[in-house]
């Protein structure tokens, strides 16, 4: 259970960060999102024997399996959520001269959720 929770936690953090970066940047979204979608459609059951071959039957392999199972759906939904934020809210954040961190904390994450 500990390995699954750790893998899920790491996947959630990575998915939120990648969702913010890829959802806000047109260039990186256009470059990396097709790669992300390609890995999303690969059945993860195919990757499990590869992970077991690299790490053996250990907690590390369980963490990687949990990470792979959770990261792609969360990242794709985070990207879609950030892209669906109202332009009025982002304009409001810019008018208050919010930094990128403040924009992510106060506007993007709450409205994407």
């Amino acid at each position: 259970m500990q390995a699954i929770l750790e893998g899920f936690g790491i996947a959630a953090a990575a998915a939120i960060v990648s969702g913010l970066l890829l959802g806000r940047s047109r260039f990186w979204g256009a470059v990396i999102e097709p790669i992300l979608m390609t890995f999303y459609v690969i059945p993860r059951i195919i990757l499990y024997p590869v992970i077991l071959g690299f790490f053996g039957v250990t907690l590390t392999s369980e963490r990687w399996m949990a990470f792979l199972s959770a990261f792609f759906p969360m990242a794709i939904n985070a990207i879609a959520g950030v892209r669906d934020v109202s332009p009025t809210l982002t304009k409001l954040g810019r008018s208050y001269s919010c930094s990128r961190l403040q924009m992510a904390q106060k506007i993007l994450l709450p409205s994407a959720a």
Side-chain angles (χ1 to χ4, degrees):
M1 189 66 162
Q2 177 185 359
I4 292 171
L5 289 176
E6 288 174 1
F8 181 80
I10 294 168
I16 290 171
V17 169
S18 65
L20 284 172
L21 294 176
L22 298 177
R24 294 291 292 164
S25 172
R26 288 185 184 179
F27 174 75
W28 290 112
V31 170
I32 295 178
E33 190 174 3
I35 298 168
L36 192 69
M37 293 299 253
T38 302
F39 282 115
Y40 177 63
V41 298
I42 294 173
R44 272 158 301 287
I45 195 76
I46 294 172
L47 298 175
Y48 294 157
V50 174
I51 292 171
L52 287 174
F54 279 128
F55 300 110
V57 183
T58 62
L59 289 178
T60 305
S61 63
E62 290 180 19
R63 284 184 195 107
W64 274 103
M65 288 181 202
F67 175 83
L68 288 176
S69 295
F71 173 74
F72 293 108
M74 286 193 292
I76 290 169
N77 285 316
I79 292 168
V82 169
R83 286 188 180 155
D84 287 342
V85 172
S86 173
T88 306
L89 292 175
T90 56
K91 224 183 256 189
L92 178 68
R94 274 189 246 122
S95 71
Y96 281 122
S97 50
C98 290
S99 67
R100 290 182 184 209
L101 181 63
Q102 289 173 333
M103 190 82 112
Q105 285 178 338
K106 306 289 184 187
I107 296 173
L108 295 176
L109 286 177
S111 61

